[in-house]
Every structure is written in structure tokens, then in C-alpha cells.
């Protein structure tokens, strides 16, 4: 945080504040013998204050016009919540609805695209956690960092709404996306619980180097992992029973098995209907409610108003001095 001036050239007018110190000819009074005049301590004090107020009024006005302020201020605030990076799958499969054949119910997911239901529930999740710091990233073929960590939930809401534009690509490259998500935490001071929230309807087979990098990155940055696995229908593998569907490639199960080996907390939420998705979001909301220290960079603070207020107080002092002078003059005038 540093002190600066928005209009520093206005300081060239500052010498004008010395003008009240110059004695005017009209201030002099002629007496034949000064020794006959009684001592006027109050008059001398009022005269001193009058000049001081006049100098102060002009000086503070010039300083206010120069635009004093502080830039780069960082405010520390305390709240409850977590640093949450939302990693949302934007592959083309998320634009489809859930097939209900064989499933008990899919709720809204059988009528609306999965991406829309997920987007709405994530929006509610973000709206309920104003003290959190959110980052938002989408992925399919490549990860796209849409919003860096911020406490401005309006920005995150706008990013979520933007995912409704266009259609996703066919690939789901989870490994690259996870590494990109971990990089978002690198270099940040640890201020509270950290979470990567993956919302996806697919998995991936990660090669060994990628697994090692993900494992080490999550441990190094102390990041917990939540995976909301949205089943697309009865052919999607059931990760709770750890059996591979006859139509599936086992990528979801392989990813789940790898996540279970992580040294950092991991939790799977398998959902196949909108109600289960909402329940999963509510449980995550309850779990991630830890003390969180937030360092927020605030916009430049303009302190010009304080200088104008000081100038106004000096002007009021001038009026008071003037009132005293007039009252004294009238008392002594025959």
C-alpha cells in the first residue's frame, strides 16, 4: 500500500497558501502613540488564529485537489468456507439428458440437459457461500480457466451462465484438466480449506506420470477432491458397487480407484438424478465451512474528502474569528 496523488501538478498552487501571511495595508491602523494602546492578548490570539485558519483552508483545498489516495491496499477479512475451484465437464455428453431406462428416476435430468441442471445447482451453491473464494474452469479437449480465484460471486455466476453457449467437444481429458486445476492453487498463500470440485459424467485412464503429478500436486497444495459423478443412464458404471458396465470402458471406475489412493481427502458423489445432485451440493456446503482468512486487494482509496473536510473546518474557524473581531470592534466603537 502506498500513498500517491492523482493530480500532483496541483501542488504547484500550494505556495498560494502563504498569501494570508502577507500583511495588507488595510490591516494597519494609525495611532499617534502605540504605548497608549492597552494590551490586547485576545486580539493577538484571534489574529494568529485567523491567519492559521486562512493558510490551512487554502493548503487543504490545494491538497484535496491534488487527489491524495492509497493504491494497492490489501484488506484482511475473516469468514467461513473454503477456496473452491469448480472443474466442470463441458464435453458433448453433458448436453444430453439422462436416460431413465433402468433408473428409478432422473428428475429434471431426464427432461433438461445435464449441463443445465448442473449449472443451476452450482449457481445456487455459489450464491449460498458469499465468503468463499471461487475459481471456475471448464474442460473437454483442453481445460479453460474461465475465472481465477475471486470472491466476486457475480463474476462466477456470469461464467456459469456462459457455459450455456454452444456445445461441448466429444473428448473428456480429465488428467490435463486436473493438472491445470492444481496449478491455479500454486503460489497462493494457504488461508483455509482448499477443494477441487469436479462435476463430470465421464472418467479417464490416466497414465502413470500424470497420476504421479496429480498425486504430488494435490498433496503439495493441500487440496481436497470432490467428484460429483453424473451417471448418464443405466449403462454408466456404478462406482458404488465398483463393477464395470458391459458397455463402459471402465474409465470412470479406474479414475475412482486412483482417487481413492490419494493422500488428501477425496469424496465421491454418484448422482443419477437432480435431487441426488442437489443433496450432494448441500452436503459439500455443510462440510466445507471452516474458518477462512481472505486477503482482498481493494480499489484505490481517495482521501481527498478528508482534506476538503479539514478545509471546511478552517473556513468555519475563519468565520468564528471574523465574528469575534466584529463584536470587539463594535464594543469599543463609541
Amino acid at each position: 500500500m502506498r500513498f500517491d496523488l492523482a493530480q500532483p501538478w496541483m501542488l504547484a498552487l500550494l505556495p498560494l497558501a502563504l498569501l494570508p501571511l502577507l500583511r495588507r495595508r488595510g490591516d494597519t491602523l494609525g495611532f499617534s502613540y502605540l504605548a497608549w494602546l492597552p494590551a490586547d492578548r485576545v486580539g493577538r490570539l484571534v489574529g494568529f488564529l485567523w491567519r492559521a485558519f486562512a493558510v490551512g483552508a487554502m493548503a487543504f483545498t490545494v491538497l484535496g485537489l491534488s487527489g491524495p489516495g492509497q493504491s494497492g491496499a490489501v484488506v484482511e477479512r475473516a469468514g467461513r468456507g473454503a477456496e473452491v475451484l469448480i472443474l466442470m465437464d463441458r464435453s458433448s455428453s453433458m448436453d444430453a439428458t439422462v436416460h431413465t431406462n433402468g433408473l428409478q428416476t432422473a428428475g429434471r435430468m431426464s427432461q433438461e440437459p445435464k449441463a443445465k441442471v448442473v449449472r443451476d445447482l452450482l449457481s445456487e451453491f455459489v450464491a449460498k457461500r458469499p465468503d468463499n473464494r471461487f475459481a471456475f474452469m471448464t474442460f473437454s479437449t483442453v481445460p479453460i480457466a474461465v475465472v481465477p480465484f475471486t470472491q466476486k460471486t457475480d463474476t462466477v455466476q456470469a461464467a456459469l451462465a456462459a457455459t450455456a453457449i454452444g456445445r461441448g467437444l466429444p473428448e473428456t481429458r480429465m488428467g490435463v484438466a486436473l493438472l491445470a486445476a492444481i496449478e491455479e492453487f500454486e503460489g497462493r498463500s494457504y488461508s483455509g480449506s482448499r477443494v477441487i470440485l469436479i462435476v463430470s459424467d465421464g472418467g479417464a485412464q490416466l497414465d502413470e506420470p500424470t497420476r504421479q503429478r496429480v498425486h504430488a500436486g494435490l498433496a503439495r497444495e493441500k487440496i481436497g477432491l470432490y467428484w460429483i459423478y453424473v451417471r448418464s443412464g443405466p449403462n454408466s458404471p456404478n462406482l458404488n458397487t465398483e463393477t464395470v458396465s458391459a458397455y463402459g470402458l471402465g474409465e470412470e471406475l479406474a479414475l475412482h480407484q486412483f482417487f481413492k489412493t490419494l493422500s488428501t481427502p477425496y469424496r465421491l458423489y454418484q448422482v443419477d438424478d437432480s435431487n441426488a445432485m442437489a443433496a450432494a451440493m448441500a452436503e459439500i456446503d455443510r462440510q466445507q465451512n471452516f474458518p477462512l482468512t481472505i486477503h482482498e486487494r481493494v480499489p484505490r482509496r481517495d482521501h481527498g474528502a478528508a482534506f476538503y473536510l479539514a478545509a471546511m473546518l478552517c473556513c468555519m474557524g475563519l468565520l468564528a474569528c471574523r465574528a469575534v473581531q466584529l463584536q470587539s470592534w463594535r464594543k469599543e466603537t463609541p
Side-chain angles (χ1 to χ4, degrees):
M1 185 172 59
R2 63 181 185 278
F3 189 85
D4 56 16
L5 299 173
Q7 305 288 340
W9 60 271
M10 293 296 294
L11 294 180
L13 303 177
L14 199 56
L16 296 177
L18 299 177
L19 290 177
L21 300 180
L22 301 179
R23 293 185 179 276
R24 295 177 302 173
R25 187 176 182 84
D27 295 334
T28 60
L29 296 174
F31 289 93
S32 57
Y33 189 60
L34 295 179
W36 290 355
L37 294 176
D40 187 7
R41 297 178 180 177
V42 176
R44 290 178 180 178
L45 177 61
V46 171
F48 172 79
L49 292 176
W50 183 89
R51 288 179 175 80
F53 284 138
V55 171
M58 297 183 69
F60 286 130
T61 301
V62 172
L63 290 174
L65 291 173
S66 66
Q70 289 177 308
S71 301
V74 178
V75 177
E76 180 178 312
R77 297 195 298 106
R80 298 191 69 85
E83 290 187 328
V84 182
L85 187 146
I86 300 173
L87 187 59
M88 181 177 172
D89 186 354
R90 274 300 290 130
S91 60
S92 56
S93 60
M94 291 289 288
D95 295 324
T97 58
V98 170
H99 299 287
T100 58
N101 185 21
L103 296 177
Q104 293 181 351
T105 175
R108 290 170 53 194
M109 288 188 177
S110 63
Q111 304 167 3
E112 299 175 327
K114 286 177 283 184
K116 182 180 185 308
V117 177
V118 167
R119 184 167 51 249
D120 293 344
L121 293 173
L122 286 175
S123 178
E124 294 177 9
F125 177 73
V126 171
K128 290 193 299 183
R129 301 175 68 88
D131 289 338
N132 285 209
R133 291 184 71 88
F134 287 100
F136 182 64
M137 181 179 291
T138 62
F139 73 98
S140 57
T141 304
V142 295
I144 301 176
V146 183
V147 178
F149 276 104
T150 180
Q151 200 183 356
K152 298 178 181 177
T153 55
D154 292 346
T155 304
V156 182
Q157 297 284 11
L160 284 168
T163 59
I165 301 173
R167 297 183 62 82
L169 298 176
E171 292 185 86
T172 305
R173 300 184 62 186
M174 183 74 77
V176 178
L178 264 175
L179 292 175
I182 294 172
E183 288 179 0
E184 291 293 312
F185 289 91
E186 292 181 357
R188 295 177 52 78
S189 58
Y190 189 85
S191 58
S193 180
R194 293 177 165 184
V195 172
I196 293 178
L197 176 59
I198 304 173
V199 184
S200 173
D201 63 348
Q205 293 278 5
L206 306 184
D207 55 26
E208 188 56 29
T210 302
R211 289 187 174 209
Q212 292 179 2
R213 292 178 61 189
V214 170
H215 192 289
L218 292 174
R220 182 181 63 253
E221 304 298 335
K222 304 176 183 177
I223 305 171
L225 191 63
Y226 288 94
W227 182 16
I228 297 181
Y229 168 53
V230 183
R231 295 185 71 195
S232 298
N235 294 329
S236 298
N238 186 347
L239 304 187
N240 291 327
T241 59
E242 301 185 356
T243 57
V244 182
S245 168
Y247 300 93
L249 300 177
E251 293 182 339
E252 295 87 349
L253 182 57
L255 193 64
H256 176 51
Q257 294 292 352
F258 165 63
F259 285 161
K260 290 168 64 177
T261 66
L262 297 173
S263 57
T264 52
Y266 164 64
R267 186 73 182 268
L268 169 70
Y269 294 93
Q270 178 174 284
V271 299
D272 50 17
D273 64 74
S274 52
N275 293 330
M277 171 83 183
M281 299 301 300
E283 185 171 343
I284 294 172
D285 181 54
R286 287 192 297 270
Q287 290 182 358
Q288 293 300 319
N289 192 27
F290 301 104
L292 182 67
T293 302
I294 302 168
H295 295 86
E296 184 178 7
R297 186 176 295 277
V298 298
R300 181 179 185 274
R301 293 179 176 179
D302 191 342
H303 298 311
F307 287 86
Y308 292 137
L309 177 61
M312 185 180 70
L313 293 176
C314 289
C315 291
M316 295 175 65
L318 282 173
L319 293 175
C321 291
R322 184 63 177 172
V324 171
Q325 286 179 331
L326 287 175
Q327 187 177 10
S328 299
W329 178 264
R330 288 167 183 166
K331 283 183 178 179
E332 296 180 3
T333 301

